[in-house]
Amino acid sequence: MATAKKAPAKKAAPAKKAAPAKKAAPAKKAAPAKKAAPAKKAAPAKKAAPAKKAAPAKKRTPNAAFMKAMTPSDALAAIIGKGPYPRTEVTKKVWDYIKKNKLQDSVNKRMINADAKLKEIFKKAQASMFEMTKMISAHLK
């Protein structure tokens, strides 16, 4: 008897779901353009979801160009030290120097105020953090 009572309850639940769908049908007739737009948005979202799942399956490999050891010029070696370093390490060491000597502009943190050593690399008194990498790459061989 208990199973007989559960079976009708399951049938009742789909009937409730079907009822709101019928109520929504007249609204769809009134605004067919609105229905078309969400349908188009829903399809690409479904395609994008599997792509995101596939991406984490691949392990990220470092770019060989960034990991290649490069020799800094004498001006840059005065800041980061002598020896061959990959580009990633050069950038880290320059940022360590900037933070240690408090060379970041207090108002605009994207700007770096050059001291005597950094002026040799930047060739100006102040440079943005985005220009910095271009200027540093000129001092790497």
Side-chain angles (χ1 to χ4, degrees), residues 29-30 80-81 100 138:
K29 289 180 184 176
I80 64 170
K100 178 182 169 188

Side-chain angles (χ1 to χ4, degrees), residues 24-57:
K28 291 179 184 175
K29 289 180 184 176
K34 289 183 180 179
K35 180 185 176 188
K40 290 179 182 178
K41 289 180 181 178
K46 290 179 182 178
K47 290 179 183 178
K52 289 180 181 178
K53 290 180 183 177

Side-chain angles (χ1 to χ4, degrees), residues 20 26 29 34-35 37 48-49 67 70 74 76-77 87 90-91 94 109 114 129 133-134 140:
K29 289 180 184 176
K34 289 183 180 179
K35 180 185 176 188
M67 301 311 292
M70 302 192 77
D74 293 334
L76 186 59
R87 288 181 186 271
V90 170
T91 305
V94 170
K109 297 284 186 181
M129 63 188 344
T133 55
K134 181 180 177 183
L140 294 172

Side-chain angles (χ1 to χ4, degrees), residues 14-34:
K16 289 179 182 177
K17 290 180 182 176
K22 290 179 183 176
K23 290 179 182 176
K28 291 179 184 175
K29 289 180 184 176
K34 289 183 180 179

Side-chain angles (χ1 to χ4, degrees), residues 70-85 89-91 93-94 97 116-118 120-122 135-141:
M70 302 192 77
T71 308
S73 67
D74 293 334
L76 186 59
I79 296 170
I80 64 170
K82 294 193 178 205
Y85 297 108
E89 283 298 313
V90 170
T91 305
K93 289 180 181 281
V94 170
Y97 178 81
K117 291 181 182 179
L118 281 177
E120 294 179 30
I121 295 170
F122 292 172
M135 294 174 190
I136 289 173
S137 66
H139 288 271
L140 294 172
K141 298 174 189 172

Side-chain angles (χ1 to χ4, degrees), residues 4 46 50-51 55-56 63 65 68 82 84-85 104 108:
K46 290 179 182 178
N63 189 343
K68 180 182 173 187
K82 294 193 178 205
Y85 297 108
Q104 251 181 315
N108 187 358

